Amino acid sequence: MQAKEQICHEDYQKTADWLLSHTKHRPKVAIICGSGLGLLAEMLKCQESFSYSDIPSFPQSTVQGHVGRLVFGELKGKTCVCMQGRFHLYEGYPLCKVTFPVRVFKLVGVETLIVTNAAGSLSDGYKTGDIMIIKDHINLPGFAGQNPLNGPNDEQFGLRFPPMSSAYDKDLHKLALDICKKLDCSVQEGVYCMVGGPNFETVAEARYLHKLGADAVGMSTVPEVLVAKHCGMKVFGLSLITNKVVKAYNDKEVNHEGVLGVSKMRAGTLQTLVTEFVAQLDSNTAD
Ligand code: HPA
């Protein structure tokens, strides 16, 4: 499916041009809101929003808990664009569609990408409700050949063989740590592993992922990060730990409603953190 689908530079450019002609905002920061975390977009002032269905070539979101809007506006005086609802591999999209918005953001002028997601914890030191700064990731679908950078390389975006050893910007990580300290908000720093979903993990898979070195697991984020890093954006990521991944046969099963419930409960803290983070972003990279 993925190999057949090709999007050319012109397609991204057309969508970017459409957005630039429909909004007065010129964001340097893009925020992708994870499951249940879409309220972050409501914080933007002077909003101009577009339903995904109204934006030329944009995919549609099909997941419960995801609205499907692109919201432009200002957060603490910094111009941002928020994706309220993202696209997932498990919805049946090829990864070039999942990551389509990221390249459009690049063409709109975005320099910093903030990604948020809901994730299950594998690390024993994590609690439900914890926030984790993503310090690195494991691209499990990538191990099986599912990578948004597959296919002919578009040199206008980046290198054929981009490095990923510093995918998550160290200065942004440090900024987030400083803000958490100031806000007296405890935070974890860990490795996020992407799985394809849509099922939650078996016990054997959970134990395997933990042994691999993952602290948290989820079904998103990594494709967007790969494409953002490829085209030279700075990336910062946060996971909200919505559940413990089941690692023992007698433990209670995970369900999507529980995941959304925890997201909603902790959305406020995440909003505060992201808002303060954006406020303190270097003016050069954030308007
Ligand atoms: N596994 C995979 N994805 C998830 C989980 C999980 O436990 N929780 C939230 N997203």
Side-chain angles (χ1 to χ4, degrees), residues 118-120 195 200-201 217-219 242-243 245 254 259:
V195 291
F200 293 107
E201 296 66 40
V217 56
M219 305 173 195
T242 51
N243 58 283
V245 180
V254 184
V259 166

Side-chain angles (χ1 to χ4, degrees), residues 141-154:
F143 289 4
Q146 285 270 15
N147 190 308
L149 302 173
N150 280 351
N153 184 50
D154 186 341

Side-chain angles (χ1 to χ4, degrees), residues 23 25 27 44-48 71-75 78-82:
T23 175
H25 293 296
L44 301 191
K45 301 262 162 42
C46 309
Q47 281 192 21
E48 287 177 336
V71 184
F72 290 79
E74 286 176 16
L75 201 54
K78 304 262 166 69
T79 308
C80 300
V81 54
C82 259

Side-chain angles (χ1 to χ4, degrees), residues 4 35 77 102 118 132 138 143 164 179 200 205 214-215 243 282:
K4 272 186 249 147
S35 295
V102 178
M132 180 185 91
I138 297 172
F143 289 4
M164 278 302 148
I179 290 168
F200 293 107
E205 286 165 350
D215 297 299
N243 58 283
D282 186 347

